[in-house]
Amino acid sequence: MSATNTNSALLTVLGVGHLVTGHRPWLRFVVTAETWNVLLAGLAKSRWSLLGLWGEPGMVHLAAHEFETGTPGIASLPCSAGEFPSVGRWHPPAQRLERAIADLVGLQPAAGPDLRPWLDHGCWPLRHPLGSPTAPAEALPPYPFLPTEGESLHQIPVGPVHAGIIEPGHFRFTANGEAVVRLEERLGYVHKGIESLLNGASLERAARLVGRVSGDSTVAYALAFARAVEAATETEIPARAHWLRALMAELERLANHCGDIGAICNDAAFALMLAHCAVLRERVLRASAACFGHRLLMDCVVPGGVTVDLPADGVPILRALLAEMRRAFPPLVELYDNTASLQDRAANTGTLNPTLVQQFGCGGVIGRAAGRAFDARREPGYPPYDQLEFEVPVRRESDVNARVWIRIREVEQSLALIEGILERLPSGPVHGALNQSGRLVEGMALVEGFRGDILVWLRLAADGTVARCHPRDPSWFQWPLLEAAIEGNIVADFPLCNKSFNCSYSGHDL
Amino acid sequence: MRKLLLQNGWRSPLTLPAPAPSESALTELGAKVDRAARRRLGRSLAIREVDAGSCNGCELEIHALNNAFYDLERFGFHFVASPRHADVLLVTGPVTVNMREALERTYAATPDPKWVVAVGDCGRNGGVFAGGYACVGGVAEVIPVDLHIPGCPPNPMQLLEGLLALLQVVR
């Protein structure tokens, strides 16, 4: 976790650049195009994986993470000519991110492999909202989907309004009979301009906004934001706050995994699992509301700590929840494991090439179901997980079944974690004042949500307001892989594959 | 599976008693529904949920309406897959500019008589997302809204109270 790890090849490459002071906890360097290209070559060779790529007027930032040393590092490239050497050209996971930069900031990826707009659908009253906003000169041409050629191919357009109670996005299937030949996603429908709303926001408002980037991960997002603010201002928060945050984060993971396990089985037409898992999910939400006053735990984690302490009856409520989960969950696992018709749908469906998972630095359940053991609670890690024992379950089959099993194992881990937290919860205050730096400071945090690693990078102005904040959802590196996972599967298995990924539209579209 | 089904056959149901319809919702709905429509629909209402840019928090709680605790279907409500089959559009989100056309088209595709329920603080006025270039801000800016159910997100009981008020007016 040391920010000054001398064994890090990534930091050796970055170290040629100019170190930016006031960036914590990891190092940020302003680099030249030459260093930038060395960095891209390292990405292409999988020496390090991409954590994030975002822009601001005149500059792009690239966060990378090195496998061996576990050290993240950030490179910033000034782009005086309004463009930067394309990252996506060498490293495909960056393509959508740099298309988003082109739409939002107006910086173009030079020689980029895909220059189509991504978040900008040509409906906004302005262009480049995060750069120098201009009125749109002319209407954008219709979005060109990638061509598919061959005999007997037909297309199925789906969305943005879907059949279920889910978020909007467009899927363009090309199929040969029942088999999917290509899926192309078209996202951006729920773009709310959150980064633009964050510019100049007070910390209080910013925490509310970041907590609503993706509602199902509100604790993880609020935690990532709070940790980035605390890193930037060099604030140490009370120990009890750390433990309560972890408690909330595990409750969130528990609720979402229960919901997902049920919903995946439901998409394999096995509604019984959904009915039972939905009851478990509801029990977690009710316990959360009873302990912290909000079913989804929104606005409970803030910079400086948490807003609510566990009430006197909180421990018995949560212990009762644990007991109920331990009673009700194992029979459901057995049911899942022993129902042949369900196994028939889930096993060997939506298989993802593990090499792609590594290349995309794909986190969360999808990554861990394909042998990528990354978990931000372990590495780079944050308190109190360094004092708690837990396993990071990993499988290698990389199909729908493996993704269900990882969720099952993570439910068990979360139950054990909650038990450990309740046993060792330190006493004391749950919120502390933030240090006032009185100057420009920057911070970054990486937090493991139920979906994967969430990155928040921010810059605070001297008056303590947010000058720039970029939240990066794990879905950025998962959505593209859904296109790969569905290839060769039948159209009817798409909902199953999609649900086993459960990517966030809102978190991705921002 | 047989064991699980049998065991649950012996247990008492989890489903909570029905809440009273929300007073504020009844007031808002007031005189908006004519008698002919009430006769035609009887006690059954088909709901099409439309996410017009929510953070997905509202969706989670709308989903919860289907679980055993709230069991929305006992009141005659059911979620349908197409606006063509719907009587009610349940709309969430601050209506992103990118979703505006899709929402308008969904509304146009819903046969009359129809009602629109805007869910959440975002659906009312854009909520925390109001004021940017990317959100229209409030469902009523785009299509006529009959009922607002506020909250961030409203919990299933609040959603149920609002929907029951709608049912009472329609019935």
Side-chain angles (χ1 to χ4, degrees):
Chain A
M1 192 176 167
S2 166
T4 51
N5 194 325
T6 46
N7 299 325
S8 163
L10 173 65
L11 288 184
T12 310
V13 169
L14 290 176
V16 180
H18 167 71
L19 181 68
V20 178
T21 52
H23 186 285
R24 294 181 183 87
W26 302 300
L27 303 180
R28 179 164 87 83
F29 296 89
V30 176
V31 299
T32 59
E34 198 181 338
T35 308
W36 183 262
N37 286 327
V38 177
L39 203 58
L40 303 194
L43 280 175
K45 287 185 194 136
S46 290
R47 291 175 70 195
W48 36 78
S49 59
L50 185 66
L51 277 184
L53 181 66
W54 65 98
E56 62 180 311
M59 194 173 276
V60 284
H61 306 281
L62 187 157
H65 177 267
E66 196 171 8
F67 299 115
E68 282 89 11
T69 62
T71 314
I74 299 108
S76 305
L77 178 73
C79 341
S80 48
E83 59 175 31
F84 60 96
S86 165
V87 186
R89 188 177 174 201
W90 307 106
H91 191 58
Q95 285 181 14
R96 287 178 179 174
L97 285 161
E98 63 186 22
R99 287 165 71 186
I101 292 174
D103 286 351
L104 298 177
V105 190
L107 298 171
Q108 298 297 327
D114 190 345
L115 300 174
R116 292 174 297 169
W118 181 238
L119 300 177
D120 188 349
H121 291 196
C123 307
W124 302 337
L126 47 80
R127 298 193 67 198
H128 313 142
L130 292 176
S132 326
T134 49
E138 57 202 50
L140 289 178
Y143 187 76
F145 284 91
L146 297 175
T148 43
E149 288 164 19
E151 271 186 51
S152 324
L153 296 185
H154 62 281
Q155 288 204 329
I156 312 169
V158 179
V161 179
H162 293 169
I165 305 171
I166 55 169
E167 302 177 74
H170 182 87
F171 299 120
R172 184 66 59 96
F173 294 95
T174 305
N176 184 339
E178 280 202 276
V180 177
V181 177
R182 164 175 266 168
L183 161 65
E184 190 181 353
E185 295 153 2
R186 169 102 171 99
L187 302 175
Y189 287 94
V190 280
H191 176 78
K192 294 181 269 291
I194 292 176
E195 283 174 284
S196 157
L197 293 170
L198 282 167
N199 285 347
S202 68
L203 283 184
E204 194 189 1
R205 169 160 162 76
R208 280 178 65 80
L209 272 166
V210 177
R212 284 160 181 78
V213 167
S214 183
D216 51 14
S217 308
T218 179
V219 174
Y221 265 100
L223 178 54
F225 178 75
R227 286 190 57 78
V229 170
E230 288 150 15
T233 56
E234 295 182 279
T235 302
E236 284 291 332
I237 67 160
R240 187 174 172 84
H242 280 307
W243 287 74
L244 286 178
R245 285 173 171 186
L247 176 59
M248 294 176 189
E250 296 310 319
L251 284 170
E252 180 174 88
R253 198 179 324 276
L254 202 54
N256 282 312
H257 279 350
C258 284
D260 281 353
I261 293 167
I264 294 168
C265 295
N266 191 51
D267 277 344
F270 198 72
L272 185 63
M273 278 289 282
L274 175 67
H276 283 274
C277 289
V279 168
L280 294 187
R281 178 184 159 84
E282 178 69 20
R283 290 196 192 281
V284 179
L285 299 189
R286 290 173 158 240
S288 302
C291 290
F292 300 108
H294 193 288
R295 285 163 56 88
L296 305 180
L297 301 169
M298 273 179 174
D299 308 321
C300 290
V301 178
V302 292
V306 294
T307 53
V308 254
D309 199 354
L310 194 63
D313 59 348
V315 175
I317 288 172
L318 291 172
R319 285 204 197 281
L321 174 72
L322 291 182
E324 174 59 20
M325 294 288 295
R326 291 207 160 116
R327 183 194 67 75
F329 192 60
L332 297 180
V333 177
E334 199 189 318
L335 179 63
Y336 174 77
D337 202 17
N338 291 329
T339 305
S341 61
L342 192 52
Q343 285 291 309
D344 182 49
R345 291 291 304 277
N348 295 318
T349 303
T351 309
L352 193 53
N353 182 347
T355 318
L356 275 179
V357 170
Q358 289 292 347
Q359 183 190 16
F360 274 72
C362 169
V365 169
I366 307 165
R368 291 191 283 272
R372 187 176 184 268
F374 182 79
D375 186 321
R377 292 175 294 175
R378 274 270 162 79
E379 181 196 316
Y382 46 93
Y385 291 103
D386 47 352
Q387 299 165 56
L388 285 161
E389 272 189 35
F390 65 103
E391 282 168 33
V392 177
V394 175
R395 285 177 81 107
R396 310 216 163 260
E397 303 91 321
S398 196
D399 56 358
V400 172
N401 184 44
R403 294 191 274 274
V404 173
W405 276 108
I406 293 288
R407 287 183 171 95
I408 289 172
R409 294 290 170 244
E410 291 190 4
V411 165
E412 294 162 357
Q413 290 301 318
S414 287
L415 291 175
L417 276 168
I418 292 173
E419 190 162 41
I421 292 169
L422 292 181
E423 268 165 25
R424 297 170 52 192
L425 192 61
S427 54
V430 297
H431 191 273
L434 291 172
N435 291 334
Q436 302 295 325
S437 54
R439 61 196 160 83
L440 205 116
V441 286
E442 296 173 334
M444 178 170 143
L446 204 60
V447 161
E448 189 72 19
F450 86 100
R451 189 175 272 123
D453 51 300
I454 292 168
L455 177 150
V456 168
W457 178 87
L458 51 78
R459 178 184 294 138
L460 301 180
D463 63 356
T465 58
V466 175
R468 173 87 176 91
C469 175
H470 173 74
R472 192 271 299 144
D473 197 87
S475 305
W476 279 100
F477 302 126
Q478 298 171 342
W479 272 122
L481 297 184
L482 180 61
E483 294 182 351
I486 189 64
E487 204 179 299
N489 286 259
I490 59 172
V491 176
D493 274 343
F494 177 72
L496 187 58
C497 297
N498 190 20
K499 200 69 219 180
S500 78
F501 272 59
N502 192 19
C503 302
S504 173
Y505 299 72
S506 183
H508 168 281
D509 293 353
L510 269 180
Chain B
M1 177 157 58
R2 213 174 296 145
K3 201 171 126 203
L4 196 75
L5 289 171
L6 272 173
Q7 278 176 351
N8 280 284
W10 288 110
R11 289 212 181 94
S12 56
L14 294 167
T15 314
L16 304 164
S22 153
E23 283 300 323
S24 61
L26 279 174
T27 320
E28 185 178 357
L29 286 163
K32 283 183 183 165
V33 188
D34 67 65
R35 238 193 226 144
R38 291 179 205 185
R39 263 205 312 276
R40 212 170 304 151
L41 288 158
R43 248 188 76 95
S44 170
L45 277 185
I47 305 177
R48 174 78 274 251
E49 200 270 346
V50 184
D51 176 339
S54 93
C55 74
N56 77 28
C58 287
E59 276 63 35
L60 294 175
E61 294 298 57
I62 291 171
H63 259 297
L65 286 173
N66 277 327
N67 75 32
F69 288 85
Y70 306 105
D71 188 19
L72 185 66
E73 292 217 9
R74 69 185 143 145
F75 302 109
F77 285 106
H78 55 287
F79 289 99
V80 293
S82 163
R84 301 272 185 215
H85 308 154
D87 308 305
V88 178
L89 293 183
L90 201 59
V91 188
T92 63
V95 191
T96 58
V97 174
N98 287 352
M99 268 306 284
R100 182 184 191 132
E101 186 188 344
L103 178 60
E104 286 167 346
R105 286 204 201 180
T106 306
Y107 182 75
T110 312
D112 283 319
K114 57 191 165 192
W115 293 268
V116 175
V117 179
V119 173
D121 291 346
C122 294
R124 180 181 278 280
N125 57 14
V128 287
F129 304 114
Y133 63 93
C135 295
V136 181
V139 178
E141 303 277 323
V142 181
I143 55 175
V145 173
D146 299 288
L147 172 65
H148 291 90
I149 304 178
C152 188
N155 64 40
M157 220 29 131
Q158 291 164 327
L159 287 166
L160 212 48
E161 287 163 5
L163 288 172
L164 286 180
L166 181 71
L167 195 65
Q168 206 159 71
V169 175
V170 173
R171 187 165 51 190

